[in-house]
Amino acid sequence: MNKDTDYGIVFDIKRFALHDGAGIRSTLFTKGCPLRCPWCHNPEGRKLDIELLWFETLCIGCGACVASCPQDALALQENGIVIDRASCVKCGKCIDVCPALALKFDGYRMHYREAFAELIKDKVFFQGSGGGITLSGGDPLVQSEFSLKLLGLCKEEGIHTTIETCLYAPTDTVLKFVGLVDCFYVDIKILDEQKHRAATGVGNKLILHNFEELSARGASICVRIPLIPGYTADDEDICATAEYVAGVNPKAQLELLNYNPLAESKYHSLQERYILPSTTEKFNEEEMQRKSELVKRIMEKSKC
């Protein structure tokens, strides 16, 4: 057994989750994602490396962090703390001395058995609600060996398992998850290859191939389309994806996810620019219903 892959880089554990699969679930978020979607709701999960976060709303501007840094990687400027990430060695001294808790790391190492022990604490809620454990991210396929070991413990305990993934990974890696995952939640953001590459930084041929391979093996799949204004939310694109999914796997579920504007503050903590305008809003209930009816008709037609 590879001891290095016994540990994963995790950035959050969310308990009593209601939107990450069936029933009440506990969701573990792993770092690392092969896509670079500019609207990513969890930007702290994109890089596998652990990064330093600064929270402007908590900072009192005392400068204690600046004085503590042995690498001079922090500076107190007019707009707050500026982090020189190339110089930062992530020693954590700035975090230790901050009286306002305005600095923290965006992830931490965790042994797969430690992660399982933390998640299993909520087993009584899984059993009562038909829920279970979900691995999300980032993308759990990036740290595949850690994820597989954790899922193996879940299956030994008889716990329902779900992963949320973009499926951009070697096919042989994806197929290792088939026997350990009860339901795959798969993002197919844009069907058009060129549009997908322009928006996410990678093409989608591998994603679609993996979706087809999972479908051929009878995996339970829920396809999700995140509705991002200006990127993925056009009716033409949504219908094209629905027709593709229906043609490959009529049994698959297909869900539309409304745009969530709450991620912008996370980019600020990472001192990165959020590309969508701050005026970008969620779709209203009527528009979501209309779009949902479009894909519902396509999926139902494929089952006739």
Side-chain angles (χ1 to χ4, degrees):
M1 180 178 290
N2 187 338
K3 297 301 181 181
D4 289 341
T5 58
D6 286 354
Y7 288 86
I9 309 298
V10 174
F11 69 90
D12 196 12
I13 293 178
K14 181 171 67 175
R15 302 186 183 282
F16 303 103
L18 299 175
H19 303 290
D20 298 333
I24 296 173
R25 312 189 72 82
S26 286
T27 304
L28 181 136
F29 295 83
T30 59
K31 282 177 66 67
C33 181
L35 274 58
R36 287 297 177 265
C37 307
W39 60 82
C40 181
H41 186 60
N42 291 323
E44 71 273 38
R46 293 175 304 176
K47 295 180 181 179
L48 188 56
D49 293 337
I50 296 172
E51 299 286 344
L52 185 64
L53 300 177
W54 171 68
F55 298 91
E56 181 182 16
T57 55
L58 298 176
C59 183
I60 59 176
C62 67
C65 58
V66 176
S68 74
C69 182
Q71 304 297 319
D72 295 324
L74 302 178
L76 179 58
Q77 299 183 0
E78 183 178 352
N79 293 328
I81 296 296
V82 175
I83 304 168
D84 179 356
R85 298 192 180 277
S87 299
C88 178
V89 296
K90 301 161 190 172
C91 65
K93 291 182 179 179
C94 58
I95 297 174
D96 293 338
V97 302
C98 179
L101 305 179
L103 290 161
K104 77 169 189 176
F105 289 130
D106 68 356
Y108 48 93
R109 276 169 55 86
M110 199 172 200
H111 194 280
Y112 75 97
R113 291 190 180 277
E114 178 189 2
F116 178 72
E118 192 63 31
L119 294 165
I120 197 67
K121 291 177 181 179
D122 299 322
K123 185 177 180 180
V124 63
F125 298 105
F126 309 156
Q127 294 173 325
S129 67
I133 288 173
T134 298
L135 301 190
S136 188
D139 193 310
L141 300 189
V142 171
Q143 300 185 64
S144 61
E145 292 303 318
F146 169 80
S147 298
L148 287 166
K149 291 173 182 178
L150 176 53
L151 289 168
L153 292 181
C154 294
K155 297 314 294 180
E156 288 176 13
E157 193 68 23
I159 296 173
H160 186 277
T161 56
T162 293
I163 66 169
E164 297 178 335
T165 174
C166 67
L167 285 185
Y168 192 86
T171 302
D172 59 348
T173 297
V174 173
L175 296 182
K176 290 178 183 178
F177 285 80
V178 171
L180 297 174
V181 173
D182 292 305
C183 186
F184 290 82
Y185 276 67
V186 175
D187 276 5
I188 298 182
K189 305 172 196 297
I190 307 169
L191 191 66
D192 182 88
E193 165 81 6
Q194 292 183 340
K195 287 183 179 180
H196 193 281
R197 187 178 297 278
T200 71
V202 303
N204 65 357
K205 290 182 180 179
L206 180 58
I207 292 170
L208 300 182
H209 174 71
N210 285 334
F211 171 68
E212 292 162 12
E213 288 294 316
L214 285 177
S215 297
R217 286 160 175 77
S220 176
I221 305 173
C222 177
V223 174
R224 286 174 161 177
I225 305 174
L227 299 184
I228 313 300
Y231 288 92
T232 69
D234 290 347
D235 287 357
E236 181 180 354
D237 290 331
I238 294 170
C239 289
T241 300
E243 288 170 358
Y244 166 76
V245 171
V248 173
N249 187 348
K251 295 181 179 179
Q253 299 178 59
L254 198 155
E255 295 181 356
L256 303 181
L257 299 180
N258 204 348
Y259 170 66
N260 190 333
L262 299 179
E264 185 174 1
S265 63
K266 294 185 177 183
Y267 287 82
H268 191 63
S269 296
L270 286 163
Q271 300 186 338
E272 296 181 11
R273 176 175 170 266
Y274 186 55
I275 195 168
L276 272 70
S278 58
T279 54
T280 305
E281 297 181 350
K282 298 172 65 173
F283 292 98
N284 61 39
E285 186 175 345
E286 292 76 15
E287 183 64 3
M288 284 298 298
Q289 182 64 32
R290 186 188 69 80
K291 291 180 181 295
S292 295
E293 287 296 326
L294 288 176
V295 299
K296 182 179 179 181
R297 285 196 293 269
I298 292 171
M299 295 301 294
E300 287 183 344
K301 184 177 179 181
S302 70
K303 297 173 183 177
C304 296

